[in-house]
Amino acid sequence: QRASLFGVDDSDHRPDSLLLDGSIQADRHPSPLAVHRREESPTTLSGKVTELEMLLNELRDDLRRAKEDRAALQEEVQHLREDNLRLQEESHTASAQLKKFTEWVFNTIDMK
């Protein structure tokens, strides 16, 4: 009521969720993405083709990078497997040496 006394439209003071007409709400506050798409959307067939070609190139680049990443990860996994085998062999060798050393110590103690 106060707004009408001062000659101000009450809809300017209501939250957008209270507006009855959804199209008014959309027109008052269009999303930045919608504005961006409207400005850049090609209107001609050649423009659409160009946009699709650009998208295809981006997808090819993404696929190439994904393949490179996968190859690098596979190579790293192979190196880790090799390191794991080497470490297992070293562990078995160390264990065998420790066993021999322990037997030697006990045999030395038993002799005294």
Side-chain angles (χ1 to χ4, degrees):
Q1 284 181 342
R2 274 188 251 148
S4 63
L5 289 175
F6 294 108
V8 179
D9 184 15
D10 192 35
S11 65
D12 289 342
H13 298 285
R14 273 191 252 162
D16 288 339
S17 61
L18 295 178
L19 292 175
L20 297 176
D21 186 3
S23 63
I24 293 173
Q25 181 178 350
D27 289 340
R28 289 184 75 205
H29 301 288
S31 73
L33 184 59
V35 171
H36 181 69
R37 284 188 179 158
R38 265 190 252 140
E39 290 172 358
E40 291 188 5
S41 69
T43 56
T44 64
L45 182 59
S46 63
K48 291 179 182 181
V49 168
T50 302
E51 183 180 357
L52 288 173
E53 287 173 344
M54 288 172 42
L55 181 59
L56 180 61
N57 287 334
E58 288 177 22
L59 290 172
R60 283 183 182 154
D61 288 343
D62 289 347
L63 179 60
R64 179 188 49 80
R65 281 192 294 272
K67 286 181 179 180
E68 290 171 356
D69 290 347
R70 181 178 179 184
L73 288 172
Q74 286 177 332
E75 186 176 337
E76 186 175 348
V77 165
Q78 183 59 35
H79 287 285
L80 290 171
R81 285 182 177 152
E82 291 169 2
D83 287 345
N84 190 29
L85 286 174
R86 179 183 54 79
L87 291 170
Q88 284 178 350
E89 290 171 3
E90 289 177 8
S91 174
H92 290 300
T93 302
S95 178
Q97 289 174 346
L98 182 60
K99 183 177 178 181
K100 285 182 183 179
F101 177 75
T102 304
E103 289 173 0
W104 176 80
V105 167
F106 284 133
N107 287 337
T108 305
I109 292 174
D110 287 343
M111 289 184 193
K112 292 184 179 183

